[in-house]
Amino acid sequence: MKEGKMIAMLLAGGQGSRLKLLTKEVAKPAVPFGGKYRIIDFPLSNCSNSNIFDVGILTQYKPYHLNSHIGIGSAWDLDRRSGGVRILPPHTDEQGGRWYKGTANAIYENISFIDELDPQYVLILSGDHIYKMDYSSMLDFHKAKKADITISVIEVPWEETSRFGILNTDADQFITEFEEKPKHAKSNLASMGIYIFDWKSLRSYLIADEKNPNSENDFGKNIIPQMKHDGKRTYAYKFEGYWKDVGTVKSYWEANMDLLSEDNALDLYDASWKIYTKNKHLPPQYIGSEASVVNSMVNEGCNVEGSIENSILFNEILIKKGAKVFNSVILSGVTISEDCEIHNAVIMEDVTVKPGTVIGKPDSEFVYLVSKNKIIESE
Amino acid sequence: MKNCLGIINLSEVDSPFGLLSQNRPTSMLPFAGRYRVIDFMLSNMVNSGINTIGVFTGNKVRSVMDHLGSGSPWDLDRKINGLFLFTPTYDYTTINSKVGDIDLFFQNKSFVKNAKQENILMSKTYMLANIDLNAAYEDFIASGADISIVYKKVNDPMNRFIGCDKINFDARGEFESIGTNLGMEENFNLSLEMYFVKKAVYFDMLFDSIEKGNANYMKQAVLNSLSKYKIRTYEFDGYVACINNLRNYFDANMAILNPEISNELFFKHGQIFTKAKDEPSTHYQKNARIKNSFVANGCQIDGYVENSIIFRGVNIAKGCIVRNSILMQKTHVDQNVHLNYVILDKRTTVNQGVTLIGDPSLPYIGGKKAVISKEGKS
């Protein structure tokens, strides 16, 4: 075992079906976010910024875009002489081939990969969340508490506790109880799906869990409760900052809009914790003589001749003269033609909106997901 | 163009860009929001399929090294071939004048000698264009010529190309000589200083010039061998910006605001690559008003910006008026600043309430990392 070494295993196989058309072609971690990123850029950049240079990425659902996005990991400085990023799809062995059945099973199937790297700690991450976090501080906490497992938690509004896995802790942040989506929560500390395990102990639990035919092979439902039951040292590491699980189209839209608010806690402009992504080598954006751009984020290669307000524009977008865009997220390659009026929309890649089209209305409670051939209203 | 070696020569006697060229050669001048002048020639070469490029860095090495690094943005960080940087050496072995560049080619002769390629493209960087070098190369190969020079027919009533190389043809339309443009003719043939040469001819010219001591510059060596070799020309008819003085530099940046020119420069024969900075998108804040401007990523803008080129990571606070200006990487413009015809170099700070006004023919330049305050307060 390499003393003190921690590797990350990033679960990126999920579909995220509530995101509807956004995940029709790509896995949830590959969904575009924040004007130029994909969701997985956040955990990957966090790894790189936390000096974790061994990252295994577990893929399963529609991995093509994800694979080409990650490449050899050079965008995150994860193309290392030894270690670096490794994509781990389901594979076959002497017993035949199997899909990943659950989060824990995905790690179980790659025990030999982890054994080869021979770490002391394994960090389990999800490719679905948007946040900036220094995992090395979490590891320091894990070591200081001599924990077997540390779970990262965040305070959520009390009225939302019923949506999360809630952890009850004592004053020492020792976890006393788990409650999955409780009706009447005793605490508002929600699990962020980020765990640090001692590899040796996790390894034995994974093997035992695999032998249990009734298990769902899930960290939250099986592995962690079992470890707790066996009296292992389980601690909660409190994270403060922006954290968002974009589950639905509406929350996806909201998370994008969060970036435009003045007191936005996810400060993308902070040079000490940059978020990296694959570079597209596009020229800067051009804002035309008659354009109006207010409280919006615009990426490279855009050409804005119309007016945009409270919107996020990805790359290579054309907003033609007379077009008006409000409170919308526009993905790359979109053309908004002359005299369109667009409110509260998420417009998918490469859509051309015809001249004079009106989508959505002001102050609507809906978010309109626009693809090439249909518009879905989403609450 | 696998069989062609690229040589980019950055050495220069003097670059007339005032404060902007204090610590950088012309080829490293920031351009069009996120590029350096050299990016265009490097990208042209790479886009045309040249995979081995030697760069003679000149004396202001630090800026060159910082930008080019291992060459990865241009896909030149290769195990085989790729980017080679040649810094100046001081062990002069010849008595030839140190004014020109011939000695530089001589010092680095082994790079060319060891290369497998049988043809060479020598170029400078200050003629900025998006050019299909492959077409020029094929013309050179098909013609069987020993040397081919790329030129452009220009109409120059404003005398923008004074001091540039000029190609002269004889009455039959055959290549006659290369001279210096003094502005005597409104229409002339501008040399883009891109020379295709066969390797054997290259060495013959080089060694002959060193032995005879009759050429300071490689292009003189070309002229001297006129009787000996077959020289042809290749006409380029696209857009060229000549970055040879401050006025032209300023205007070339402003020309990017014309979508036709920017489309040609950035896309026509392939993309232009540069060092990535991983900046987030640009945030135009609540009070922002932007007209006719070219803006790179990573900026936070809350003021009024018109007819300007804004580089990566620039901050423009509320109440500012920025017009006809070039603000380079990470400049910070505080509240109620008024700028007109100003070039601010990298990481310059302009404090609250300052007014800086330049002139179109002589823009005001704020030097790198300067802090500019009202009435000398800082």
Side-chain angles (χ1 to χ4, degrees):
Chain A
M1 182 182 71
K2 289 175 186 133
E3 193 82 27
K5 179 176 174 175
M6 178 159 81
I7 69 157
M9 295 296 273
L10 209 167
L11 299 159
Q15 180 187 356
S17 54
R18 287 177 303 152
L19 285 171
K20 298 179 179 164
L21 287 172
L22 283 168
T23 54
K24 188 166 176 266
E25 299 298 334
V26 298
K28 184 172 167 189
V31 168
F33 180 82
K36 71 176 290 190
Y37 308 100
R38 290 181 188 269
I39 295 174
I40 196 171
D41 292 338
F42 289 85
L44 280 177
S45 302
N46 287 340
C47 282
S48 182
N49 289 331
S50 308
N51 273 21
I52 297 170
F53 296 124
D54 292 281
V55 183
I57 301 179
L58 301 129
T59 60
Q60 178 152 287
Y61 174 80
K62 298 203 176 170
Y64 171 69
H65 285 278
L66 200 53
N67 290 349
S68 69
H69 180 68
I70 294 163
I72 57 167
S74 48
W76 305 270
D77 257 349
L78 290 171
D79 54 331
R80 316 300 290 198
R81 189 186 57 232
S82 60
V85 73
R86 293 283 180 276
I87 292 177
L88 305 168
H91 52 269
T92 60
D93 58 18
E94 301 86 341
Q95 276 84 45
R98 296 166 299 280
W99 296 110
Y100 294 151
K101 289 179 284 181
T103 52
N105 173 256
I107 306 297
Y108 169 83
E109 292 285 356
N110 290 289
I111 283 178
S112 58
F113 167 77
I114 301 175
D115 279 346
E116 207 149 292
L117 293 173
D118 202 18
Q120 185 172 2
Y121 308 104
V122 174
L123 169 69
I124 307 289
L125 299 171
S126 150
D128 295 356
H129 303 147
I130 291 152
Y131 63 108
K132 298 201 291 192
M133 177 173 174
D134 187 348
Y135 303 132
S136 61
S137 312
M138 183 173 167
L139 180 62
D140 291 343
F141 173 90
H142 181 84
K143 286 178 187 166
K145 298 289 180 195
K146 296 193 171 59
D148 292 303
I149 167 169
T150 299
I151 302 174
S152 184
V153 293
I154 186 162
E155 279 185 31
V156 294
W158 281 96
E159 61 272 20
E160 288 182 30
T161 46
S162 60
R163 284 176 48 217
F164 293 97
I166 297 295
L167 304 182
N168 303 327
T169 60
D170 66 12
D172 191 35
Q173 288 176 274
F174 180 80
I175 299 169
T176 51
E177 195 185 353
F178 294 99
E179 290 179 290
E180 187 66 19
K181 298 181 182 167
K183 282 220 174 67
H184 306 285
K186 295 184 207 103
S187 121
N188 66 339
L189 295 176
S191 164
M192 297 162 68
I194 299 168
Y195 317 114
I196 291 178
F197 290 97
D198 276 40
W199 173 235
K200 232 166 90 186
S201 106
L202 174 63
R203 194 180 188 281
S204 60
Y205 274 89
L206 289 174
I207 292 168
D209 181 65
E210 188 64 19
K211 285 184 185 141
N212 175 3
N214 298 321
S215 170
E216 288 179 53
N217 308 115
D218 186 90
F219 278 109
K221 288 177 193 153
N222 308 102
I223 302 282
I224 296 165
Q226 187 61 44
M227 287 176 92
K228 180 82 209 146
H229 179 261
D230 294 351
K232 293 279 177 186
R233 293 173 64 83
T234 50
Y235 279 86
Y237 172 77
K238 213 159 144 188
F239 171 74
E240 276 162 18
Y242 186 94
W243 178 81
K244 196 122 185 171
D245 178 3
V246 286
T248 62
V249 175
K250 181 89 183 262
S251 70
Y252 171 76
W253 175 83
E254 279 169 354
N256 275 288
M257 288 297 133
D258 284 347
L259 296 173
L260 297 175
S261 72
E262 264 166 48
D263 51 353
N264 156 39
L266 186 78
D267 182 9
L268 292 174
Y269 297 89
D270 176 10
S272 68
W273 202 270
K274 274 191 181 184
I275 303 302
Y276 305 100
T277 189
K278 197 171 145 187
N279 200 297
K280 295 210 164 69
H281 295 285
L282 292 166
Q285 53 211 260
Y286 174 70
I287 311 292
S289 310
E290 290 163 44
S292 152
V293 182
V294 179
N295 196 33
S296 294
M297 281 175 83
V298 183
N299 193 10
E300 289 165 341
C302 286
N303 192 334
V304 182
E305 303 272 359
S307 77
I308 57 173
E309 200 176 325
N310 298 328
S311 294
I312 305 253
L313 267 60
F314 281 68
N315 46 286
E316 296 159 283
I317 293 163
L318 242 64
I319 308 281
K320 299 218 173 148
K321 274 183 191 151
K324 296 190 181 84
V325 179
F326 303 93
N327 309 317
S328 295
V329 179
I330 302 182
L331 304 191
S332 51
V334 168
T335 300
I336 309 284
S337 306
E338 290 82 359
D339 307 318
C340 289
E341 190 175 324
I342 292 166
H343 297 272
N344 295 28
V346 174
I347 303 186
M348 291 188 54
E349 282 108 337
D350 303 320
V351 170
T352 298
V353 183
K354 294 202 181 87
T357 310
V358 177
I359 296 171
K361 17 181 198 299
D363 308 318
S364 166
E365 280 185 17
F366 293 105
V367 171
Y368 302 85
L369 181 62
V370 182
S371 65
K372 273 182 181 153
N373 41 28
K374 62 178 160 187
I375 298 176
I376 300 175
E377 285 184 15
S378 178
E379 252 180 305
Chain B
M1 288 182 84
K2 209 176 136 222
N3 203 13
C4 186
L5 182 74
I7 296 178
I8 298 181
N9 181 6
L10 310 185
S11 70
E12 56 196 13
V13 183
D14 180 34
S15 45
F17 300 93
L19 280 174
L20 296 180
S21 54
Q22 206 167 35
N23 291 310
R24 53 168 89 93
T26 306
S27 52
M28 288 301 147
L29 285 174
F31 184 76
R34 67 190 291 264
Y35 301 95
R36 303 281 185 149
V37 168
I38 194 177
D39 293 338
F40 289 80
M41 200 55 210
L42 261 185
S43 302
N44 283 332
M45 285 188 172
V46 169
N47 288 338
S48 306
I50 295 180
N51 59 24
T52 312
I53 298 174
V55 175
F56 299 168
T57 62
N59 288 318
K60 290 164 183 169
V61 183
R62 227 190 63 165
S63 147
V64 180
M65 292 296 186
D66 178 47
H67 184 66
L68 298 183
S70 63
S72 60
W74 303 271
D75 240 352
L76 288 170
D77 55 332
R78 300 291 99 190
K79 189 167 61 175
I80 299 161
N81 301 323
L83 183 68
F84 297 84
L85 298 176
F86 299 102
T87 55
T89 56
Y90 289 95
D91 54 338
Y92 292 119
T93 49
T94 68
I95 62 156
N96 292 62
S97 166
K98 303 302 177 272
V99 174
D101 59 18
I102 195 92
D103 201 65
L104 205 55
F105 285 93
F106 184 71
Q107 282 172 37
N108 296 311
K109 59 188 181 299
S110 56
F111 163 65
V112 182
K113 200 162 171 239
N114 296 341
K116 290 189 194 77
Q117 288 82 354
E118 288 164 310
N119 302 290
I120 299 157
L121 167 59
M122 297 184 285
S123 177
K124 296 228 162 194
T125 57
Y126 73 104
M127 289 291 181
L128 211 141
N130 188 327
I131 175 171
D132 180 3
L133 291 170
N134 200 33
Y137 176 72
E138 273 170 16
D139 173 83
F140 166 64
I141 295 297
S143 70
D146 298 305
I147 298 165
S148 176
I149 308 170
V150 182
Y151 78 101
K152 179 181 162 63
K153 288 191 173 125
V154 293
N155 172 271
D156 185 27
M158 304 290 285
N159 284 333
R160 284 311 175 77
F161 296 111
I162 294 278
C164 292
D165 286 2
K166 170 178 182 175
I167 307 269
N168 301 304
F169 295 102
D170 63 16
R172 285 172 299 135
E174 298 281 319
F175 174 82
E176 189 180 59
S177 66
I178 309 171
T180 303
N181 173 42
L182 297 177
M184 310 286 271
E185 293 174 297
E186 211 177 287
N187 292 299
F188 75 101
N189 302 306
L190 174 72
S191 164
L192 301 187
E193 295 210 43
M194 299 172 195
Y195 297 81
F196 288 96
V197 194
K198 283 182 177 161
K199 192 165 161 179
V201 175
Y202 172 89
F203 278 114
D204 186 49
M205 288 192 313
L206 182 61
F207 293 154
D208 196 54
S209 306
I210 299 283
E211 289 213 315
K212 291 199 177 123
N214 63 359
N216 291 339
Y217 288 90
M218 198 64 185
K219 62 193 174 203
Q220 281 177 317
V222 171
L223 268 185
N224 292 342
S225 61
L226 196 52
S227 56
K228 209 164 158 191
Y229 294 114
K230 194 180 156 199
I231 303 181
R232 75 179 266 115
T233 51
Y234 176 83
E235 191 192 340
F236 171 66
D237 60 1
Y239 174 81
V240 173
C242 174
I243 314 290
N244 63 347
N245 59 46
L246 190 60
R247 175 86 194 268
N248 282 350
Y249 169 74
F250 184 77
D251 289 353
N253 270 289
M254 291 303 161
I256 293 294
L257 296 175
N258 177 342
E260 255 175 58
I261 291 177
S262 69
N263 275 336
E264 174 170 345
L265 267 186
F266 294 122
F267 298 109
K268 194 165 186 191
H269 300 291
Q271 284 176 287
I272 306 301
F273 303 100
T274 191
K275 192 175 162 188
K277 297 273 187 222
D278 295 286
E279 297 280 0
S281 301
T282 281
H283 190 178
Y284 300 93
Q285 291 157 335
K286 296 220 161 71
N287 305 300
R289 276 175 66 210
I290 320 289
K291 303 282 171 214
N292 191 38
S293 292
F294 208 60
V295 186
N297 267 358
C299 299
Q300 290 168 291
I301 299 177
D302 207 16
Y304 177 79
V305 180
E306 188 185 356
N307 301 337
S308 294
I309 311 291
I310 311 293
F311 281 68
R312 291 182 279 200
V314 169
N315 272 304
I316 300 175
K318 203 163 84 177
C320 288
I321 300 174
V322 177
R323 298 168 68 219
N324 309 305
S325 295
I326 300 172
L327 308 193
M328 291 186 196
Q329 201 183 312
K330 299 230 184 264
T331 52
H332 186 96
V333 181
D334 211 345
Q335 286 184 13
N336 304 320
V337 166
H338 185 178
L339 307 176
N340 197 2
Y341 293 106
V342 169
I343 301 176
L344 296 182
D345 204 336
K346 286 165 76 176
R347 294 175 187 276
T348 300
T349 305
V350 184
N351 284 335
Q352 213 164 13
V354 173
T355 300
L356 300 172
I357 313 278
D359 184 85
S361 60
L362 185 65
Y364 177 94
I365 301 179
K368 193 171 173 180
K369 292 183 187 167
V371 178
I372 303 169
S373 300
K374 213 172 172 181
E375 290 154 11
K377 286 177 210 158
S378 59

